[in-house]
């Protein structure tokens, strides 16, 4: 059996975090946005952040699960911010 941080619940939480971050990005950021792309970018960021932090922590406690979820949220937001900045530069927006 896998650790608590790489269980099905952890993956489900990272997916939920990524989807919510992508939807919030699509709703709150200015300009013409494609919600599906924002959700995919947020989802990828959350999964990479959560999985990477779970591997780095390597612990099997609920605290490590919470840390992995917070890192997933942070990385998802950071990836969405970088994506939005690049998109704004490509489209000539400020």
């Amino acid at each position: 059996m896998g650790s608590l941080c790489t269980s099905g619940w952890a993956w489900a939480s990272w997916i939920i975090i990524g989807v919510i971050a992508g939807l919030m990005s699509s709703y709150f950021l200015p300009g013409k946005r494609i919600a599906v792309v924002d959700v995919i970018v947020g989802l990828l960021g959350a999964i990479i952040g959560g999985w990477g932090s779970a591997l780095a922590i390597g612990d099997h406690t609920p605290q490590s699960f919470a840390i992995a979820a917070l890192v997933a949220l942070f990385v998802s937001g950071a990836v969405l911010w970088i994506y939005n900045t690049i998109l704004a530069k490509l489209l000539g927006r400020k």
Side-chain angles (χ1 to χ4, degrees):
M1 186 165 152
S3 73
L4 180 65
C5 285
T6 56
S7 69
W9 289 106
W11 285 94
S13 70
W14 302 333
I15 290 170
I16 291 168
I17 288 169
V19 168
I20 290 173
L23 288 173
M24 288 179 66
S25 170
S26 181
Y27 182 75
F28 286 112
L29 292 177
K32 232 178 171 180
R33 309 211 48 95
I34 301 172
V36 174
V37 175
D38 286 338
V39 168
I40 290 171
V41 171
L43 186 64
L44 289 174
I47 289 174
I48 290 169
W51 181 69
S53 65
L55 287 179
I57 294 170
D59 199 5
H60 306 300
T61 62
Q63 290 84 2
S64 61
F65 173 77
I67 291 170
L70 288 173
V71 171
L73 179 63
F74 176 78
V75 172
S76 178
V79 169
L80 282 163
W81 178 72
I82 291 168
Y83 165 72
N84 186 53
T85 303
I86 292 170
L87 186 65
K89 293 231 186 255
L90 290 175
L91 296 177
R93 289 186 276 144
K94 289 189 175 202

